[in-house]
Amino acid sequence: MVNITAFTERLKKVMETHELSASTFADKIGVQRSSISHILSGRNKPSLDFVLKVTSEFSDVDIHWLLNGKGMYPKNKISETTATPSLFEDSEKVSGKKIQRIVVFYDDGTFDEYQK
């Protein structure tokens, strides 16, 4: 079950990161402005369609993170301890192939994807 209060906080974080007001955010994902207002106030719960519009419009938002807070935001962010540019460069020299992306799967069914 999704914790609506926590979901709302994560949605606000996405809006703040992208420097969008609620009305601009609504326009960007293609929903009515009142929908955002009702979700942010706790009056309405987000629909699956709403969640999919957010994750489709903002590629840095992982659906697992948005719904349950699991994973990372932004999802394409590569931490220094996870992967470094030298990891990509060295692999190209060793195999003659160039790494396009690395996907890490976790035991809870979530995953993170890292792209060069």
Side-chain angles (χ1 to χ4, degrees):
M1 176 138 288
V2 176
N3 179 329
I4 300 305
T5 305
F7 175 89
T8 301
E9 291 305 313
R10 288 188 291 274
L11 191 61
K12 287 178 183 178
K13 184 173 182 176
V14 172
M15 292 168 43
E16 288 171 10
T17 301
H18 291 276
E19 299 178 352
L20 299 172
S21 66
S23 60
T24 308
F25 185 78
D27 294 343
K28 194 157 182 74
I29 65 170
V31 299
Q32 293 183 1
R33 293 176 180 185
S34 60
S35 296
I36 297 293
S37 175
H38 293 181
I39 289 170
L40 293 176
S41 70
R43 178 178 173 190
N44 291 355
K45 294 179 181 179
S47 66
L48 175 60
D49 185 51
F50 177 86
V51 171
L52 292 175
K53 285 181 179 187
V54 172
T55 57
S56 294
E57 182 63 33
F58 298 96
S59 61
D60 61 341
V61 178
D62 179 69
I63 192 167
H64 297 289
W65 174 82
L66 185 59
L67 291 174
N68 301 311
K70 296 182 180 181
M72 69 173 27
Y73 176 74
K75 74 177 181 180
N76 294 333
K77 182 178 179 181
I78 299 175
S79 69
E80 292 179 22
T81 58
T82 306
T84 62
S86 62
L87 172 67
F88 291 109
E89 293 166 6
D90 292 343
S91 64
E92 187 175 342
K93 294 174 188 173
V94 173
S95 65
K97 297 180 182 179
K98 190 172 183 181
I99 294 175
Q100 288 183 324
R101 67 182 177 167
I102 297 172
V103 181
V104 178
F105 295 93
Y106 299 100
D107 60 0
D108 65 355
T110 61
F111 65 93
D112 290 320
E113 183 175 341
Y114 305 98
Q115 295 185 354
K116 186 174 180 182

